[in-house]
Amino acid sequence: MELPILFFLVAGMLVYSLSPLFGPRKSRSDEPGAELRRRIADLDAEKANTLRAIKDVEFERATGKLSDEDHEELHSLYTRKAAEILADLETLRNEADRADDIR
Amino acid sequence: MVTFGTLSQFAALAFSLLTMACLLLGVMRDDGRWVQAGRRCLVSVAACATLASIALGYLFLSNNFQVEYVASYSDRALPLFYKLTAFWAGQKGSLLFWAWVLSLFSALVVYNNRRDPDSRLTPYVYLVLGGTLSFFLFLLCVVSSPFDLLDFVPKDGQGLNPMLQNPGMVFHPPTLFLGYIGFTVPFAYAIAAMTTGTTDASWIKKTRAWNVLSWIFLTVGIILGGQWAYVELGWGGYWAWDPVENASFIPWLASTAFIHTAIIQERRGIMKVWNMALILLTFLLCIFGTYLVRSGVLQSVHDFGATGLGGYFLAFLAIATIGGVYLLAESYRQFKTPNALESYLSRESTFLFNNVILLALAFATLLGTVFPFLSEAITGNKVTVGQPFFNQVNTPLFLVLIAITGVCPLIGWRKASPENLRKNFLRPALFALAAAVVLFASGIRMSYALLSFTLCAFVAGTILQEFVLAVLSRKAVTGEASWTAAPRLLWRMRRRYGGHLVHLGLVLVVVGITGSSAFKLEAQGTLSKGESLAIGEYELKYENFRKYEKLNRTIYAATLGVFTDGARIGSLDAERRYYVNARQPTTEVSLRSTLKEDLYVTMPGISRNGDITLKVAVNPLLVWIWIGGGLMVLGGILAIIPKRRRETP
Amino acid sequence: MIPFRQKAAILLVLSLLLVSPDIGLALSESEVSESLLCFACPGEPLSIDRCGGGDQMPAAISRMLGEGKSKEEILQYFVGEFGEEILTIPPKRGFNLVAYIGPFAVLLLGVAVAFLLIRKWSSAGTHADRGADGTASPPPLGDADRRRVEEALSNFHEED
């Protein structure tokens, strides 16, 4: 009794698993603009890291691990870096929007 | 049902091989259809493995003793609960459990990635998961199937070892396995990242929950194992450094190192290659651990290949090692980033040292575990490497680890100003010094114990100071009261303070270990009814004797009155149990546990005239090991509760 | 060969110092038995032993303790009887030293590597931050940029 059930179950799984093969071909290749999007994503990650760095140094000063001078130095360093990244991001985003418009 | 189980196993193996084939084709032909088919095959593996597991559970419940595995680990008298848990009592069932859980985890990974089904990484992740599954399913189908039949049908099974009939032992192996298996997922992501040249920290971010959760499972498994040894084995200890225990401790150390440097990569984008190496090491150690525990190599050192599993496991380990190291070497250039730190004095650099110590501990433990084999192979000399050896070598290393755990919260991320560090160092150091003076004055002279307690005080002091300072600064900003600011801070920065909570738990564990090993009292004696035995401030009076039947065992119990200063503060039942189908009686531990100390009683002998032999121990502070362990687990859970709000770009 | 031996000896002395046992209390049976295996069930330490087959061993230990023998003498007696395998701890000589010294050697090596790495990384970090000469002060940040960063910060809700 249980064996026919198993047979049908496995047959069902096989159909489920292999059915995508009979659909239309899907290329895994990157669509146009993927490279640009990847660069934006990378830059986004870098932005998050830098913003987190600013929060970090604020927190470390608040809990007394960083002197005011060191805090000042690092804070301005990261702020500068963050400003650069934000500017770059904006340029890239505009570029991406233009590419979308053309398409 | 036997055929059903066997066929399900074969179907699972077929699907896992199909998974690999489809994914390879999909990647090579650059065809998303094949990738999707491979993904669905992986889900089907989970379904088939589930069917096989249901079949094995059913065979246990229906007392089908023609199945060799069921006959070996169950009998008719076994309580229902233990019948189900006998599933993983032996090697064959454990293998099925491994494959089943890994297949479920794989299906979960597929589910988690449902929204981005075709990222560059995932096909390779599934490929590694499918490969590992294929290995275990191959072992199940070809080498060691739990569905193998005996030539005859025995009237009853041999039963489950009475020592394994204990709740701790029921949950110890599966939690440990969950930890072992869980690390397969980050390993798969790491391999995928190396293969595709994905150099960012996305794989670390995606697998953070898997890492920490697997670490939590390993921790719970280790604690439960210790608890089981303590209440069941009756020798008064909880950890004997035997190879099976070490097999769980070594990957725990490696994964702890990984969790720390993974944070650095996530935050700073550095140490990429090192993290790959660490997760590879953790995975290999997990497989090695499974092999040590369940291959039978430890029971009989000399029939290395007796179960036929040894060779396969070694081959799998070799393939994984060579493949992993090859990929590491290949992608080294790609992953090598110009590493830069703002300051030599930063939490990042303390993490580097913590890695060194954790790995030295792992190395020491591994070396000690395999040293008997090594020694015999190289010099022909047979030696035993036992508990005192590990205590000697690992204790100093562990104390260094505790010390650095204390320094860590004093040093901030990215940079610490030296003068601030000095200032912050002062209070915890004074606190630790005060603790040391108090302990010394109260008569503690053992150097290790004194050092250990002092370091614990230091670590607790630094963690407390960091939290109090953070609460104060939050109060200054928000104007909240302390009792609202503290829990809010704990919740808002739960990753950070979850980690600190784990460290606080570790401190409590170390306090418990130090107290119970340095100040243990032991006594032994034979008593007639009415006589007493004294230990420490306790006196145990033999008051009564009973014999009764319960479930599958006969119990002989002696009631002991517990007295301090002549006042009766309670009673303990020392027991010896005779299980149906067991050849030897077992000693049950009776325990009176307080925050201060455990009174630990076993009864190794009962003579015909009713006299009893008692072994008694007082283990100071031991309960803090379990409390600290619980805190470590809680801290880990706190650290992975996902945040609700997400950054909006 | 000699330098290595010297180093090994220093390391050994260091590790022995670190692990020197506490002196004071009278020798108890369990202190001796923790260094011995049960002869009846291979691999099981005497202190954990449950088989009962090794009952003669504790008896012999307490007899010898009664005779005022030291731990070393008692262990030596059992080694004579059953060979070195009866000890739970390998004697500190010959190849066994690898097990004793190896971990500490790895620790020292690791610490050295970590030190070098941190020095390298931190010098790379500070150079990159402060310009080549380390003194040049960068131009001040414009107000617009500063505001933009502050806005991004206030939208940034990542924990930690």
Side-chain angles (χ1 to χ4, degrees), chain A residues 2-3 5-6 9-10 13-30 38 42 44-45 47-49 51-53 55-57 59-60 62-67 69-70 73-74 77-78 93, chain B residues 1 4 7-8 11 15 18 26 29-37 40-41 44 47-48 51 118-120 123 200 266-267 342 347 409-417 419-420 424 466 469-470 473 493 496-497 647:
Chain A
E2 68 253 18
L3 289 184
I5 295 177
L6 178 68
L9 280 174
V10 171
M13 287 180 225
L14 206 59
V15 170
Y16 162 77
S17 300
L18 299 183
S19 57
L21 295 181
F22 302 99
R25 190 178 200 282
K26 275 189 291 182
S27 171
R28 291 185 59 253
S29 290
D30 296 332
R38 196 165 303 146
D42 283 351
D44 258 331
K47 178 181 116 187
N49 275 343
L51 292 179
R52 192 193 292 141
K55 293 214 154 180
D56 271 349
V57 293
F59 183 83
E60 304 300 7
T63 53
K65 287 194 264 310
L66 211 53
S67 67
E69 306 90 80
D70 281 339
E73 182 197 325
L74 287 178
L77 172 80
Y78 295 133
R93 288 236 163 84
Chain B
M1 214 56 185
F4 182 89
L7 287 179
S8 305
F15 272 118
L18 206 55
R29 289 188 177 177
D30 187 23
D31 188 340
R33 293 181 303 181
W34 286 97
V35 173
Q36 198 185 352
R40 289 186 171 190
C41 284
S44 303
C48 293
L51 291 178
D118 218 321
S119 91
R120 290 193 314 149
D200 58 18
E266 203 181 324
R267 299 174 69 109
E342 283 82 351
R347 191 166 291 176
L410 294 176
I411 299 181
W413 286 105
R414 292 164 198 277
K415 183 164 191 170
S417 310
E419 62 271 34
N420 293 46
N424 288 332
E466 144 106 13
L469 285 175
S473 85
M493 302 185 80
R496 178 185 291 256
Y497 291 111
E647 190 202 1

Side-chain angles (χ1 to χ4, degrees), chain B residues 484-558:
Chain B
T484 47
R488 279 193 191 153
L489 184 71
L490 194 69
W491 180 247
R492 263 192 56 79
M493 302 185 80
R494 52 185 175 274
R495 262 187 83 166
R496 178 185 291 256
Y497 291 111
H500 282 348
L501 224 51
V502 173
H503 292 164
L504 213 54
L506 180 70
V507 166
L508 295 183
V509 171
V510 172
V511 166
I513 292 174
T514 311
S516 61
S517 49
F519 307 106
K520 185 184 180 107
L521 298 174
E522 282 171 304
Q524 188 165 0
T526 303
L527 305 179
S528 306
K529 217 174 253 181
E531 288 183 332
S532 351
L533 179 71
I535 180 167
E537 59 185 30
Y538 296 102
E539 209 170 320
L540 288 167
K541 189 174 172 201
Y542 176 19
E543 291 176 341
N544 197 10
F545 192 83
R546 286 172 305 141
K547 175 191 167 189
Y548 59 98
E549 314 268 333
K550 191 180 166 191
L551 292 171
N552 54 348
R553 53 203 180 237
T554 310
I555 298 172
Y556 296 83

Side-chain angles (χ1 to χ4, degrees), chain B residues 64-87:
Chain B
N64 192 329
F65 297 122
Q66 201 190 353
V67 178
E68 186 243 290
Y69 188 70
V70 176
S72 308
Y73 293 100
S74 177
D75 58 21
R76 288 182 202 283
L78 193 68
L80 183 74
F81 176 63
Y82 290 120
K83 260 183 197 158
L84 273 177
T85 58
F87 189 113

Side-chain angles (χ1 to χ4, degrees), chain B residues 37-202:
Chain B
R39 200 165 52 230
R40 289 186 171 190
C41 284
L42 197 56
V43 176
S44 303
V45 177
C48 293
T50 306
L51 291 178
S53 303
I54 291 173
L56 187 61
Y58 176 82
L59 290 173
F60 267 109
L61 287 184
S62 59
N63 291 326
N64 192 329
F65 297 122
Q66 201 190 353
V67 178
E68 186 243 290
Y69 188 70
V70 176
S72 308
Y73 293 100
S74 177
D75 58 21
R76 288 182 202 283
L78 193 68
L80 183 74
F81 176 63
Y82 290 120
K83 260 183 197 158
L84 273 177
T85 58
F87 189 113
W88 51 72
Q91 177 212 89
K92 295 172 169 178
S94 297
L95 285 178
L96 179 56
F97 185 75
W98 233 96
W100 180 35
V101 174
L102 182 56
S103 69
L104 292 180
F105 281 3
S106 305
L108 192 60
V109 173
V110 171
Y111 178 77
N112 283 341
N113 281 305
R114 67 197 177 282
R115 280 187 218 294
D116 98 277
D118 218 321
S119 91
R120 290 193 314 149
L121 225 51
T122 43
Y124 295 95
V125 175
Y126 303 147
L127 200 56
V128 176
L129 291 172
T132 313
L133 271 170
S134 301
F135 167 68
F136 279 96
L137 289 165
F138 168 79
L139 289 183
L140 280 167
C141 291
V142 178
V143 188
S144 148
S145 166
F147 298 103
D148 283 344
L149 292 178
L150 293 166
D151 299 334
F152 60 102
V153 185
K155 283 211 176 63
D156 200 356
Q158 291 162 19
L160 189 64
N161 184 337
M163 284 192 304
L164 302 186
Q165 297 184 32
N166 166 289
M169 205 47 181
V170 164
F171 295 111
H172 161 67
T175 38
L176 211 52
F177 283 158
L178 284 177
Y180 283 162
I181 302 163
F183 279 115
T184 313
V185 177
F187 167 74
Y189 268 96
I191 295 287
M194 282 195 273
T195 316
T196 55
T198 310
T199 55
D200 58 18
S202 58

Side-chain angles (χ1 to χ4, degrees), chain B residues 391-406:
Chain B
N391 286 342
Q392 257 189 42
V393 173
N394 284 2
T395 311
L397 290 173
F398 215 80
L399 289 179
V400 180
L401 182 69
I402 301 298
I404 200 164
T405 311

